[in-house]
Amino acid sequence: QVQLVESGGGLVQPGGSLRLSCAASRLTFSTYAMSWYRQAPGKERELVAVITSTGGSTNYADSVKGRFTISRDNAKNTVYLQMNSLKPEDTAMYYCNARRNSKNDYWGRGTQVTVSS
């Protein structure tokens, strides 16, 4: 079955950086749009960033524009989220999503990001 495995989370001080990775397997990666979502305790899951299947287009939540960058390497079946200038409000579980259509929509188990001094 399809697997999405996130990594790269951790504890970082405000203003710091982290790079999340999501390795995909058992799917034709280059045909899927890839997204990062996050969910903080007591809050709904929210879309952080999305990248098209070819990597030609990206979109970001207003709260992370100018600080986060999503990218992908189709040769490595991996999507990345570079997070700079991190703020305490970025603290959340970050999830990777692969979607081609309503029937081909997959989630990873998440990686925790904590921004605290």
Side-chain angles (χ1 to χ4, degrees):
Q1 70 223 40
V2 171
Q3 279 194 320
L4 300 176
V5 180
E6 301 96 335
S7 61
L11 174 64
V12 63
Q13 291 187 344
S17 298
L18 282 175
R19 189 195 196 200
L20 306 184
S21 300
C22 171
S25 58
R26 303 189 183 97
L27 78 170
T28 308
F29 184 74
S30 62
T31 67
Y32 283 76
M34 299 298 297
S35 302
W36 287 97
Y37 285 75
R38 67 186 181 187
Q39 187 168 19
K43 295 189 176 181
E44 293 187 355
R45 191 173 294 191
E46 63 172 349
L47 177 64
V48 175
V50 58
I51 187 167
T52 55
S53 59
T54 62
S57 181
T58 58
N59 203 8
Y60 298 90
D62 287 344
S63 59
V64 307
K65 279 182 182 176
R67 300 189 298 122
F68 290 11
T69 302
I70 188 171
S71 61
R72 66 189 295 159
D73 185 338
N74 284 354
K76 295 183 178 179
N77 286 8
T78 302
V79 63
Y80 306 96
L81 185 68
Q82 178 66 44
M83 305 187 295
N84 299 328
S85 302
L86 282 160
K87 304 176 181 180
E89 51 263 43
D90 295 317
T91 295
M93 184 72 79
Y94 283 71
Y95 298 91
C96 176
N97 172 263
R99 179 176 172 87
R100 190 164 64 186
N101 50 49
S102 60
K103 290 186 178 180
N104 299 106
D105 189 347
Y106 306 101
W107 293 89
R109 293 189 175 186
T111 185
Q112 177 67 39
V113 172
T114 302
V115 184
S116 175
S117 54

